[in-house]
């Protein structure tokens, strides 16, 4: 096309620039639709896996006993009343009472033994146990033989080595009855005790459940990283802070699935992952997300001055510096301060969103009442 036949819009640099921006905006929704479709696919697959694998039977453990002969499922959650043993008598001592597991200890630091009698096993079948979060060191034995452990549980900080070692272990075959003894110790973390359920059942069912759980977490990480890349490109090309903060939320979510999901994928990938580094990273993930949500709400809806935003953000960066410098056995004891900071930022995010809704409601209501139906 010659210069004489070009349209006025194509000759005007300002209009041409606006047209190119419009084309770029037209392409960006496609990326978001793809990301949302991938996220929806993840949810569908997770729900399908949930129903395909079946829900582990609950409340089958009563008064320190489990009868697999009367269980209705091949996969059982060992949630219920376990016997509590005195340290000096474990693992063969008499019961000192009962405690309902899973549990977070009121005093997070300590050492305890729990025992469960399992009856009605089929000697011709293989059985397995799946552990998740037993903060922060444990040893699991069957009929006096240790078959699964994480770290080194002891009765003092000097004799305890923390580690998170989730996984699946198969029990020796030929058992008709089994006495499980769980030893748990914690002296380094803000949360102690067996805080997530232990699963027990036929080895094939336990392994399938574990594989699907890991697969759903991995798929969620891939989707969140994809959304982060989309948001980062949008922030870079369009210089949009909202996209940047949204991308940081997605990135934080991906690290959450890697570090603090019930599968603890980082320890599945590298069983020897450094404990101190893990605690620092998990604190960054847990206690930075509220800041990204607040900054996203502020960039979308306004309502906060630059000074107020800086004042609200400063505690998170200060706490991050504390986590970076101090060892975990010190900063984890200040966990209530981290939680309070997150609560304040979450409350500000909700208020900004409510303010935006209250301002937009009259306009939306007016349009709905005055615009003719299509």
């Amino acid at each position: 096309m010659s210069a004489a036949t070009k349209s006025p819009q194509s000759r005007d640099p300002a209009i041409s620039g606006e047209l190119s921006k419009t084309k770029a905006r037209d392409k960006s929704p496609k990326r978001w639709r793809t990301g949302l479709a991938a996220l929806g696919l993840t949810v569908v697959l997770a729900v399908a896996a949930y129903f395909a694998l079946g829900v582990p039977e609950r409340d089958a453990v009563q008064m320190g006993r489990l009868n697999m002969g009367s269980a209705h499922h091949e996969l059982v959650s060992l949630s219920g009343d376990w016997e509590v043993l005195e340290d000096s008598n474990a693992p063969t001592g008499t019961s000192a009472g009962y405690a309902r597991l899973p549990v977070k200890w009121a005093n997070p630091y300590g050492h305890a033994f729990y025992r469960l009698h399992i009856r009605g096993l089929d000697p011709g079948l293989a059985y397995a146990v799946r552990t998740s979060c037993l903060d922060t060191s444990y040893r699991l034995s069957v009929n006096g033989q240790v078959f699964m452990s994480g770290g080194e549980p002891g009765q003092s900080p000097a004799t305890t080595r923390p580690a998170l070692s989730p996984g699946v272990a198969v029990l020796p075959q030929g058992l008709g009855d089994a006495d499980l003894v769980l030893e748990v110790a914690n002296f380094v973390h803000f949360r102690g005790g067996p805080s997530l359920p232990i699963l027990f059942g036929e080895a094939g069912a336990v392994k399938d459940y574990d594989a699907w759980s890991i697969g759903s977490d991995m798929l969620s990480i891939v989707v969140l990283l994809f959304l982060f890349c989309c948001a980062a490109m949008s922030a870079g090309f369009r210089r949009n802070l909202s996209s940047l903060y949204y991308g940081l939320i997605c990135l934080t979510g991906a690290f959450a699935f890697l570090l603090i999901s019930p599968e603890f994928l980082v320890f599945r990938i590298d069983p020897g992952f450094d404990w101190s580094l893990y605690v620092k990273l998990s604190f960054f993930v847990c206690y930075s997300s509220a800041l990204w949500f607040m900054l996203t709400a502020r960039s979308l809806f306004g309502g906060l001055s630059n000074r107020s935003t800086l004042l609200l953000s400063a505690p998170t960066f200060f706490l991050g510096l504390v986590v970076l410098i101090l060892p975990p056995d010190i900063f984890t004891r200040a966990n209530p301060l981290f939680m309070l900071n997150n609560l304040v930022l979450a409350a500000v995010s909700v208020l900004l969103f409510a303010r935006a809704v209250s301002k937009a409601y009259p306009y939306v209501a007016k349009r709905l009442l005055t615009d003719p139906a299509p």
Side-chain angles (χ1 to χ4, degrees):
M1 180 183 293
S2 65
T5 58
K6 285 183 179 179
S7 63
Q9 291 87 348
S10 62
R11 291 196 299 268
D12 191 332
I15 296 178
S16 298
E18 288 299 322
L19 289 174
S20 63
K21 290 180 182 178
T22 303
K23 291 179 180 178
R25 285 194 295 268
D26 291 340
K27 293 179 180 178
S28 61
K30 296 179 181 178
R31 292 198 298 267
W32 294 114
R33 283 197 294 269
T34 304
L36 291 176
L39 188 60
L41 177 62
T42 304
V43 173
V44 171
L45 289 176
V47 173
Y50 181 80
F51 286 105
L53 293 172
V55 184
E57 183 176 347
R58 301 182 185 278
D59 299 323
V61 175
Q62 297 181 357
M63 303 299 290
R65 295 182 179 276
L66 168 65
N67 187 353
M68 286 297 292
S70 61
H72 302 290
H73 299 274
E74 56 185 6
L75 190 61
V76 177
S77 172
L78 299 185
S79 302
D81 299 322
W82 288 53
E83 288 182 285
V84 180
L85 304 179
E86 295 290 345
D87 288 357
S88 58
N89 295 329
T92 58
T94 58
S95 173
Y98 295 93
R100 187 165 185 83
L101 302 188
V103 64
K104 295 179 183 178
W105 293 338
N107 178 8
Y109 309 107
H111 176 261
F113 283 95
Y114 304 94
R115 184 170 62 192
L116 175 65
H117 303 281
I118 302 178
R119 303 293 181 259
L121 298 177
D122 186 343
L125 294 178
Y127 293 91
V129 171
R130 178 183 185 266
T131 62
S132 182
C133 185
L134 303 173
D135 292 317
T136 52
S137 59
Y138 76 95
R139 186 179 292 117
L140 194 59
S141 61
V142 57
N143 296 340
Q145 300 294 321
V146 176
F147 72 98
M148 199 173 190
S149 64
E152 291 290 338
Q155 299 189 26
S156 68
T159 58
T160 300
R161 180 177 62 84
L164 293 179
S165 302
V168 174
V170 179
L171 274 66
Q173 278 191 276
L175 297 177
D177 298 328
D179 287 344
L180 289 183
V181 174
L182 172 65
E183 180 184 4
V184 182
N186 173 63
F187 294 96
V188 297
H189 203 252
F190 65 92
R191 179 182 64 187
S195 55
L196 289 177
I198 300 173
L199 297 184
F200 178 81
E202 295 181 20
V206 173
K207 291 179 179 179
D208 288 344
Y209 187 94
D210 188 62
W212 274 98
S213 299
I214 294 174
S216 63
D217 278 4
M218 294 293 292
L219 182 59
S220 300
I221 290 174
V222 171
V223 171
L224 288 169
L225 289 178
F226 174 77
L227 292 175
F228 165 72
C229 293
C230 292
M233 288 188 291
S234 177
F237 291 128
R238 301 173 59 189
R239 303 191 182 281
N240 189 329
L241 282 178
S242 300
S243 297
L244 174 62
Y245 297 140
Y246 173 75
L248 290 173
I249 292 174
C250 294
L251 184 62
T252 303
F255 273 98
F257 276 102
L258 179 67
L259 295 169
I260 57 179
S261 72
E263 284 65 51
F264 296 97
L265 293 180
V266 64
F267 290 102
R268 301 290 188 110
I269 298 171
D270 181 9
F273 193 82
D274 182 72
W275 168 257
S276 178
L277 178 59
Y278 166 76
V279 177
K280 289 176 181 289
L281 289 175
S282 62
F283 259 67
F284 278 121
V285 168
C286 289
Y287 297 114
S288 65
S289 56
L291 176 63
W292 309 137
F293 275 106
M294 189 271 288
L295 292 176
T296 302
R298 189 250 184 183
S299 64
L300 288 173
F301 310 128
L304 281 179
S305 65
N306 291 337
R307 178 177 297 179
S308 299
T309 304
L310 183 61
L311 289 175
L312 288 169
S313 304
T316 301
F317 289 104
F318 172 75
L319 292 174
L321 186 62
V322 168
V323 170
L324 188 64
I325 295 175
L326 298 179
D329 58 341
I330 295 179
F331 68 75
T332 55
R333 298 174 188 268
N335 189 56
L337 294 178
F338 290 84
M339 298 176 67
L340 178 62
N341 181 61
N342 258 24
L343 182 63
V344 170
L345 294 177
V348 172
S349 301
V350 171
L351 290 175
L352 291 178
F353 179 77
R355 174 180 175 272
V357 171
S358 64
K359 283 194 168 187
Y361 177 77
Y363 171 77
V364 174
K366 181 179 179 182
R367 291 295 299 270
L368 291 175
L369 291 174
T370 57
D371 284 0

